[in-house]
Amino acid sequence: KSTKDLEQQQQDKQLELRELENEKIDIKDNISELVDNIQTLQRNQNNITGRVASIRDEILLHTGASKYEIPFIAELIKVRSEEMAWEPAIEKILHSFALRLVVPEKYYKQVNEYVNRTNLKGRIVYQRYQDISQLNSFSSLKQFPSNALFNKLEFNSKSTYITGIEDVIRYQFDYACVNSLEEFNRYNEKAVTQQGLIKSTKGKHEKDDRQNIKHRDNFILGWDNQEKISLLRKRFNTLQVD
């Protein structure tokens, strides 16, 4: 082989080694992130990980509140077991709303003070909770169709905030869960198919099929996280074998 060939071979080998090293670093980072996420889930007993979970922990530390007093909305609702075919579509519709914290009057000023003065190094959205039970009598008068998104949800009966959360979902997320495109086309707004095609308001349509969106370990609804922990542990074991 010529000197030029040997130099090229050496460069190829160096490139291959760099790629292997980068892959090794990526796997190490993924394993570290999985360990952090599993520990967060075990500590909080919900399905929320990442910086937003850490911000909630910091708010609880500052206010002295418990996680039950300042919950994520996601911890208060889940898809009914008999409606799991709708889970991916409902997760997409409720995702941003479900990541909000519920802040009662008791801690409202403290949370404002902490959030205002602190560089959160992330984003948090919270909902001031005021007693809106007077809406109950009104909401009970409205008839909701059997295919309403609301009817596919179960609510955490242990929470004192359920009345308000139910009302918001009834009136802001009054989507029809339709079984065919023909039925979907008949709605002017707020309809969703099982495949995840969402029609909202003002003519907006959306469908998101990115892989990370569809993974069940990215779902956040519910107050039981054993299934999510199991999924993350399986991924952890796979990365360790690799």
Side-chain angles (χ1 to χ4, degrees):
K1 290 183 178 180
S2 66
T3 302
K4 187 175 181 180
D5 289 338
L6 290 172
E7 288 176 348
Q8 183 61 52
Q9 189 177 33
Q10 186 177 20
Q11 288 174 3
D12 291 343
K13 183 63 69 176
Q14 288 174 341
L15 178 61
E16 184 180 344
L17 287 172
R18 280 199 300 271
E19 288 175 346
L20 287 171
E21 187 62 31
N22 288 337
E23 186 178 335
K24 184 179 178 182
I25 291 171
D26 286 343
I27 290 173
K28 185 177 179 181
D29 288 344
N30 286 336
I31 288 175
S32 178
E33 183 181 355
L34 282 170
V35 169
D36 288 343
N37 287 343
I38 290 170
Q39 289 175 343
T40 298
L41 293 175
Q42 290 173 328
R43 184 170 63 251
N44 291 325
Q45 298 177 327
N46 61 23
N47 289 295
I48 297 171
T49 59
R51 181 58 194 153
V52 69
S54 298
I55 293 173
R56 199 271 288 263
D57 288 343
E58 292 159 11
I59 288 173
L60 296 183
L61 186 64
H62 172 76
T63 60
S66 73
K67 59 188 177 184
Y68 304 107
E69 291 178 295
I70 303 182
F72 285 104
I73 290 175
E75 297 174 277
L76 309 181
I77 54 180
K78 68 177 181 179
V79 179
R80 292 181 180 276
S81 57
E82 66 271 22
E83 301 287 0
M84 295 308 287
W86 286 96
E87 186 181 28
I90 291 174
E91 281 273 350
K92 290 174 189 175
I93 289 174
L94 295 181
H95 187 85
S96 294
F97 172 68
L99 280 177
R100 294 183 194 178
L101 291 176
V102 180
V103 178
E105 285 298 309
K106 180 180 178 180
Y107 298 107
Y108 178 65
K109 290 181 180 178
Q110 282 178 275
V111 171
N112 284 342
E113 185 274 329
Y114 176 78
V115 171
N116 186 59
R117 71 171 168 79
T118 304
N119 179 354
L120 300 174
K121 298 181 176 63
R123 180 175 185 265
I124 197 71
V125 179
Y126 55 96
Q127 192 83 30
R128 182 181 187 178
Y129 186 85
Q130 295 172 298
D131 185 12
I132 53 173
S133 57
Q134 65 269 19
L135 291 178
N136 259 357
S137 58
F138 172 75
S139 64
S140 62
L141 295 175
K142 181 175 178 180
Q143 295 297 312
F144 288 88
S146 59
N147 68 350
L149 183 151
F150 178 87
N151 291 331
K152 299 187 183 299
L153 297 177
E154 183 179 340
F155 296 85
N156 189 341
S157 59
K158 294 180 181 179
S159 173
T160 58
Y161 305 124
I162 285 307
T163 296
I165 301 306
E166 285 181 343
D167 283 331
V168 172
I169 292 177
R170 275 189 176 110
Y171 292 101
Q172 292 186 22
F173 297 94
D174 52 335
Y175 283 81
C177 298
V178 300
N179 294 314
S180 70
L181 202 55
E182 181 183 358
E183 189 181 359
F184 180 87
N185 292 337
R186 290 201 294 267
Y187 283 84
N188 290 324
E189 60 181 28
K190 290 190 176 178
V192 58
T193 67
Q194 234 177 66
Q195 292 75 23
L197 176 59
I198 301 168
K199 179 188 298 188
S200 50
T201 58
K202 299 180 181 178
K204 180 183 176 182
H205 292 62
E206 178 182 2
K207 189 166 187 275
D208 192 343
D209 287 329
R210 288 173 293 175
Q211 281 300 113
N212 63 315
I213 299 293
K214 294 160 68 176
H215 284 163
R216 294 202 77 261
D217 51 353
N218 289 317
F219 291 176
I220 61 171
L221 301 181
W223 50 91
D224 182 344
N225 62 13
Q226 291 309 303
E227 183 178 356
K228 187 163 186 171
I229 289 174
S230 178
L231 287 169
L232 294 183
R233 280 178 173 160
K234 285 178 183 176
R235 187 185 293 181
F236 173 84
N237 291 335
T238 299
L239 285 174
Q240 282 198 315
V241 170
D242 292 343

